[in-house]
Amino acid sequence: MGSASSDFLTPPRRFLRMCKRQRFQPKVADSTGMELTGGKLLTASLVVKRVLERGVIAADEPMVGILLPPSVAGVIANTAVSFLNRVAVNLNYTLSQEHMDSCARQANLRHVITSRRVLEKFPFRFDAELVYLEDLKEKATRWDKLAALTGALVLPAWMLERQLGLDRTAADDLLTVIFTSGSTGEPKGVILSHRNIGSNIDAVQQSVHIRPDDVLLGVLPFFHSFGFTATLWLVLGLGPKGVYHFDPRDGRTVGKLCEKHGVTILMATPTFLRMYQRRCTPEQLSKLNLVIVGAEKLPLDLARDFKQALGVEPSEGYGATETGPVVAVNIPDDRYEGPGRGTKLGTVGRPLPGVSARVVSPETGEELGRNREGLLWVTGPNIMRGYLNQPEKTAEVIRDGWYNTGDMAKLDDEGFIEITGRESRFSKIGGEMVPHLKIEEALERILSDGSTDEPEVMVAVTAVPHETKGERLVVLHKPVSKPVSQIVRELQAAGLPNLWIPSQDSFFEVSAIPLLGTGKLDLRAVRQLALEKCGHT
């Protein structure tokens, strides 16, 4: 543990002080009916911390696993671990057993905090010892509860911070390790410090101006950096109340929670947003005035339809696990205080305060300037410390403090960033870069008939090796009503270059498109399936 910086408050210290300020105000709630004031949340966190440090978590155990969905219980587990000055590792319950084993092994986890209900739904096997939250309640003594209550309601914040040792936590000490989804390979552990998360929260606050009376809906899992920063620690360190639900696809419950708690801020992915548009009524979302989406591209038709149906235009943001996660965001007019405009549809907004972006040539590394497509690099206090135990992979993506996002982008004259595609989602065919994303978007327009009640990912474009061309485009698609020959003709009619149009024998029907827990394409599984369909082993 390094020496603490006097001018930087770590997220756990901000949480502690905010709970004292809001000790009698509702601070967190969830779909199980649990609701706690700031004072009760702080008390519960202190109780769990005391039980964990008494014979559960060893002194030489730096990282603690957490397997819980977005919920009040998930919040308490994370805050209790932070009060122990340990690194929280929120585990992705949508992973395979193989990838889960990899995460646990890389983090050297000896304990995983979970619940029996979670393990019933996600029956993972762990070498680590399981700590059930239900059992911790029974192990709490009267003295634990009294000491926690005194700390939460009587002791001044500075004294409680000193008692917990939070005043000795340095800004660059680790707060969490978040494992990447493994969409392009084995999960990598992204090391994020208190400064990474805290600076990101400050920058988001300076941009979109979270208000004390805001109510934020948390449906994104805490194992996802967007959920961990924006719906967990942002809520805990700033004024809003957090309302949590474990299933982001459950639009009906989301609507009821929004109506019951008067939700004003929703952070989600476009995939989930489309579900809410169809499942929620305008009355349920009547208090909503800020919708931020990330993790995947926001289709312009969804932005238009959502505003028409529910009265709020979604604001697209952009980031990566390695950037804490937020890099840029569009800001609605009523929350924007800068020069010019805060929103430009089709872009992911401007970089946050303190974050810089540049676009360079993928081939030469030369900076390209405005309105030219190239590889996006970013820098700022939110850039990760590195990948867990993988200095070589860290060096591949971070140079002189700049992070290679792997995304192709343009910076326009106003400083807005337009993401044009993923470098790894391009094929080089005939010497030209062919964007999978553009082909997917054209296919989705051709295949969508608007008849399904629930949105579906119908198609995925990837590539497999080809002897003469280098790569061959492959389309995986769910059952469709149009013959492939007609789909190819419509791609040609849509104006796509011939090089971008897959051959008819490169279309393969599948029962389901492989997806990650966030709703994004599982690029690794998509490519593997394409290799199998094409006879590659």
Side-chain angles (χ1 to χ4, degrees):
M1 193 179 296
S3 58
S5 168
S6 58
D7 59 349
F8 179 83
L9 279 180
T10 63
R13 291 178 78 182
R14 296 179 194 211
F15 160 63
L16 187 153
R17 294 183 183 196
M18 185 56 66
C19 280
K20 285 200 165 278
R21 201 174 304 154
Q22 298 180 316
R23 67 187 71 184
F24 302 118
Q25 292 174 232
K27 185 61 182 168
V28 290
D30 65 23
S31 52
T32 70
M34 186 175 286
E35 186 162 0
L36 299 178
T37 62
K40 287 182 178 177
L41 176 59
L42 181 55
T43 303
S45 302
L46 291 169
V47 167
V48 172
K49 177 260 179 190
R50 289 180 65 89
V51 177
L52 286 175
E53 72 181 343
R54 193 175 61 245
V56 179
I57 308 299
D60 62 346
E61 192 173 345
M63 298 188 187
V64 179
I66 299 174
L67 187 75
L68 291 166
S71 57
V72 172
V75 172
I76 292 169
N78 274 276
T79 52
V81 167
S82 78
F83 282 172
L84 279 168
N85 291 296
R86 300 302 201 281
V87 179
V89 182
N90 285 273
L91 295 165
N92 183 344
Y93 36 78
T94 70
L95 291 180
S96 64
Q97 180 69 53
E98 177 191 3
H99 277 170
M100 182 66 80
D101 291 342
S102 172
C103 296
R105 184 176 63 253
Q106 290 182 59
N108 194 24
L109 296 181
R110 286 148 62 182
H111 288 91
V112 174
I113 301 172
T114 185
S115 75
R116 288 185 175 83
R117 282 184 66 185
V118 169
L119 277 189
E120 282 172 15
K121 190 166 186 180
F122 305 104
F124 288 105
R125 302 178 305 278
F126 290 98
D127 286 337
E129 185 180 337
L130 298 177
V131 179
Y132 297 107
L133 271 181
E134 303 95 318
D135 297 346
L136 294 182
K137 287 181 185 177
E138 296 172 11
K139 291 179 180 177
T141 65
R142 289 176 66 185
W143 173 244
D144 288 329
K145 295 171 185 173
L146 181 61
L149 200 61
T150 303
L153 301 180
V154 179
L155 291 184
W158 67 266
M159 190 178 291
L160 182 56
E161 287 172 10
R162 185 173 294 180
Q163 193 180 87
L164 294 169
L166 300 183
D167 58 327
R168 298 191 298 277
T169 303
D172 289 326
D173 286 345
L174 303 193
L175 177 62
T176 189
V177 172
I178 294 182
F179 282 91
T180 59
S181 55
S183 63
T184 56
E186 188 179 32
K188 294 189 293 287
V190 175
I191 301 170
L192 295 171
S193 68
H194 291 268
R195 189 194 307 278
N196 293 150
I197 302 297
S199 67
N200 211 225
I201 291 168
D202 284 341
V204 169
Q205 171 66 341
Q206 287 175 48
S207 301
V208 299
H209 306 288
I210 308 294
R211 300 159 185 159
D213 60 344
D214 273 325
V215 180
L216 190 149
L217 182 73
V219 291
L220 298 172
F222 298 155
F223 61 71
H224 191 269
S225 56
F226 194 7
F228 184 81
T229 297
T231 66
L232 175 62
W233 286 106
L234 184 146
V235 165
L236 299 180
L238 299 177
K241 172 183 171 183
V243 179
Y244 299 95
H245 182 50
F246 59 87
D247 185 356
R249 301 161 301 178
D250 181 7
R252 287 201 168 92
T253 301
V254 164
K256 291 173 185 174
L257 283 172
C258 287
E259 186 171 33
K260 178 181 177 182
H261 295 278
V263 167
T264 61
I265 300 175
L266 170 62
M267 296 188 182
T269 68
T271 297
F272 300 145
L273 209 60
R274 206 179 284 277
M275 296 177 184
Y276 306 153
Q277 178 193 324
R278 299 188 177 192
R279 292 296 192 190
C280 303
T281 65
E283 293 75 27
Q284 289 175 324
L285 303 186
S286 62
K287 297 282 182 69
L288 203 61
N289 83 348
L290 177 62
V291 177
I292 296 179
V293 295
E296 55 188 274
K297 190 173 179 63
L298 173 66
L300 293 181
D301 66 324
L302 172 58
R304 182 191 64 240
D305 294 349
F306 192 90
K307 183 178 182 181
Q308 193 172 348
L310 298 166
V312 185
E313 185 171 86
S315 296
E316 185 173 5
Y318 168 77
T321 307
E322 292 87 344
T323 60
V326 190
V327 167
V329 67
N330 280 292
I331 308 164
D333 291 341
D334 69 326
R335 289 181 183 252
Y336 182 61
E337 297 181 359
R341 53 178 166 170
T343 290
K344 187 173 183 180
L345 273 178
T347 77
V348 293
R350 292 189 187 90
L352 296 179
V355 177
S356 299
R358 68 186 183 197
V359 172
V360 307
S361 164
E363 286 82 23
T364 66
E366 171 200 2
E367 191 164 349
L368 297 177
R370 303 285 172 157
N371 301 308
R372 293 182 64 190
E373 184 182 49
L375 198 51
L376 181 66
W377 289 68
V378 296
T379 190
N382 55 324
I383 303 300
M384 67 169 179
R385 294 276 303 277
Y387 293 121
L388 182 64
N389 303 323
Q390 299 192 60
E392 302 85 4
K393 288 194 174 175
T394 302
E396 287 174 12
V397 297
I398 296 183
R399 291 176 199 162
D400 301 322
W402 287 82
Y403 169 69
N404 177 1
T405 66
D407 286 322
M408 304 294 283
K410 292 179 186 175
L411 271 170
D412 72 11
D413 292 328
E414 296 175 86
F416 287 92
I417 301 171
E418 179 191 353
I419 302 297
T420 55
R422 179 112 187 121
E423 188 185 30
S424 62
R425 297 219 63 209
F426 280 73
S427 291
K428 200 157 193 176
I429 301 174
E432 287 190 36
M433 299 293 277
V434 178
H436 299 174
L437 194 61
K438 296 277 178 65
I439 303 167
E440 268 173 12
E441 288 172 351
L443 285 166
E444 289 283 4
R445 285 193 293 271
I446 290 167
L447 298 176
S448 173
D449 59 7
S451 64
T452 55
D453 189 37
E454 290 292 356
E456 287 185 287
V457 177
M458 292 293 295
V459 65
V461 176
T462 186
V464 299
H466 189 275
E467 284 182 10
T468 57
K469 296 179 182 177
E471 285 189 286
R472 167 193 175 190
L473 293 171
V474 174
V475 178
L476 302 180
H477 63 87
K478 295 186 75 172
V480 293
S481 56
K482 297 178 180 179
V484 170
S485 57
Q486 183 182 341
I487 294 170
V488 170
R489 285 197 300 273
E490 290 189 40
L491 282 174
Q492 292 166 335
L496 265 61
N498 285 334
L499 207 60
W500 295 18
I501 298 175
S503 58
Q504 289 190 36
D505 63 352
S506 294
F507 284 73
F508 296 95
E509 184 176 305
V510 295
S511 58
I513 303 294
L515 300 177
L516 298 166
T518 57
K520 287 199 294 184
L521 285 178
D522 185 338
L523 299 178
R524 184 170 178 262
V526 165
R527 188 166 190 274
Q528 187 59 43
L529 188 53
L531 287 167
E532 292 168 8
K533 294 286 184 184
C534 293
H536 294 268
T537 53

